[in-house]
Amino acid sequence: MLNVDLAFQKLGDLVRRVDETERVAIEDAVGRIAAESVEAPIDLPPFDASAMDGYAVDATGLDHSRKKRFEVIDESLAGRPAASALCAPSDAIRVFTGAAIPDQANAVVLQEDALRQGGTMITETPIHRDQHVRHRGHDVQQGSRLCCRGTRLSHFHLASFAACGIEEVTVSRRIRVAVFSTGDELAERGRPLQAGQIYDSNRFAITSLLREKAVETRDLGCIPDDPEMIANSLDKASKNADLLVTSGGVSVGDADYVKDAVDRIGRIEFWKIALKPGKPLAIGRVGNALFFGLPGNPVSAIVTYLLFVAPTIDRLAGCEPTPPLTLAATLNGRVRHSAGRREYQRGILQSSDGQLVVTPTGDQGSNRLATLAGANCLVVVDEDKGDVEDGESVDVILLPDEGAHLMHS
């Protein structure tokens, strides 16, 4: 069996970036991969601006040891700059947060540090040049890089584009992914189960996870355990796909036809990885499309998708994936493990007394979706380790979370 790290390396060598690009509105660019670097067309802020409500003054040569009086000659509001400039050292202009600093002014006196008496502003606070002033280009300078080629565009990248007035961005085209399940035992949801049948959850899980990616998904349904139908489906799908993802049929059973079909019309690059769950994973190529034959057990299919398929989609679009964030946590409970395969066990990660603690979710059978539904992380047990005892430190990887918020009940 192939070591997991070596499998990642071999897979990376197989992936070739898709060259086609398209222009999209920034409203439609979340999660897309930038096909070129983006530079700021303007300075941000585009003028010297006040960071606070107060009074704009010239701090040059002021005596900090005594009370200072200024004549308020104008006001500068956000979007409505003052018509006047400071003409004398004793002039001040009322200014509000985000408003332009008037000409000849170089400091802002906070309104809470000022006493207003009619047209006069009095302050005893020392005034220093540049205090509470956001200088032009303080946030972003014109021509500076907002993102590099190959960046996955987040809400925050796009907000910076919007602040610079950018309307469109060039991105890699969506990766074309064809998905199907195999197995005579699989039934579609909404139909009554016949004897010996189960509902097809793998295809649903994979197509659901794919919605988080910049892809065009073709759901080809469930293909019976028929070698010719499987081969024909793979061959036809490969004509207009960058990626073929199947589940089931890649083990060593008499009715596991998918691997043999790929061997016949394409090639298997490697098969069987020292991984639990997911050992039967097969990776190869049919025509110009990469092929992933995921295992039939649902947890195995999901874990191998997260570990292998998801980063491959990023690479195809030109984004070099970074290793998942790995956290150290204290194990609550005992993990039984036989050395030889790297294992990813489902767990619940929590903070307790300032420490991260992870509790396995129970039976780790690869058919048990229920223990995955309640998990928020995977506990990584290296291939060279045996049992892990209660209280030992373990590495955990957070599972994708649909909750795009900071506060959790």
Side-chain angles (χ1 to χ4, degrees), residues 163-207:
C164 289
I166 296 171
E167 295 184 276
E168 294 183 331
V169 62
T170 302
V171 297
S172 300
R173 71 150 169 83
R174 294 182 180 275
I175 303 304
R176 299 167 186 144
V177 185
V179 181
F180 66 81
S181 296
T182 64
D184 291 338
E185 77 279 12
L186 299 179
E188 296 285 0
R189 300 183 313 280
R191 299 180 183 177
L193 289 175
Q194 303 301 315
Q197 284 192 318
I198 58 173
Y199 288 117
D200 181 6
S201 63
N202 289 6
R203 201 173 86 251
F204 173 84
I206 300 308
T207 54

Side-chain angles (χ1 to χ4, degrees), residues 56-309:
V57 300
D58 181 1
T60 306
L62 291 178
D63 184 353
H64 299 311
S65 65
R66 63 187 183 87
K67 185 184 298 184
K68 294 165 281 296
R69 291 176 177 270
F70 297 89
E71 181 185 356
V72 181
I73 62 171
D74 203 345
E75 66 178 11
S76 179
L77 292 84
R80 294 192 331 193
S84 308
L86 300 183
C87 298
S90 60
D91 286 345
I93 291 177
R94 182 78 165 106
V95 69
F96 296 89
T97 304
I101 297 292
D103 290 345
Q104 306 307 316
N106 54 31
V108 173
V109 178
L110 297 181
Q111 65 180 16
E112 53 263 42
D113 293 334
L115 175 64
R116 183 73 178 266
Q117 293 179 341
T120 300
M121 183 271 287
I122 304 169
T123 183
E124 298 182 18
T125 303
I127 305 171
H128 301 285
R129 187 182 181 91
D130 296 330
Q131 70 180 28
H132 309 306
V133 175
R134 296 171 180 158
H135 285 286
R136 176 174 179 161
H138 170 72
D139 182 15
V140 172
Q141 294 185 346
Q142 182 178 7
S144 64
R145 187 164 291 176
L146 298 178
C147 80
C148 298
R149 180 178 186 253
T151 299
R152 182 195 305 283
L153 297 175
S154 70
H155 297 283
F156 312 120
H157 291 112
L158 300 172
S160 71
F161 295 176
C164 289
I166 296 171
E167 295 184 276
E168 294 183 331
V169 62
T170 302
V171 297
S172 300
R173 71 150 169 83
R174 294 182 180 275
I175 303 304
R176 299 167 186 144
V177 185
V179 181
F180 66 81
S181 296
T182 64
D184 291 338
E185 77 279 12
L186 299 179
E188 296 285 0
R189 300 183 313 280
R191 299 180 183 177
L193 289 175
Q194 303 301 315
Q197 284 192 318
I198 58 173
Y199 288 117
D200 181 6
S201 63
N202 289 6
R203 201 173 86 251
F204 173 84
I206 300 308
T207 54
S208 180
L209 287 164
L210 285 169
R211 292 191 187 100
E212 301 298 318
K213 294 290 186 182
V215 300
E216 293 177 4
T217 304
R218 289 181 59 209
D219 184 350
L220 303 182
C222 182
I223 310 299
D225 286 324
D226 181 295
E228 291 306 314
M229 289 185 67
I230 292 171
N232 290 337
S233 297
L234 287 166
D235 184 56
K236 185 176 179 180
S238 70
K239 301 293 192 288
N240 192 40
D242 305 301
L243 206 58
L244 304 174
V245 181
T246 69
S247 70
V250 290
S251 192
V252 293
D254 291 341
D256 289 326
Y257 301 120
V258 175
K259 176 183 171 294
D260 290 343
V262 174
D263 266 333
R264 181 152 51 95
I265 64 173
R267 65 180 181 276
I268 294 292
E269 298 287 350
F270 54 94
W271 175 53
K272 288 190 177 180
I273 299 173
L275 172 69
K276 182 179 180 180
K279 170 185 166 185
L281 174 68
I283 296 175
R285 189 176 293 279
V286 178
N288 292 322
L290 279 171
F291 164 79
F292 285 85
L294 308 186
N297 277 317
V299 176
S300 300
I302 291 170
V303 169
T304 51
Y305 168 88
L306 294 173
L307 291 175
F308 292 91
V309 181

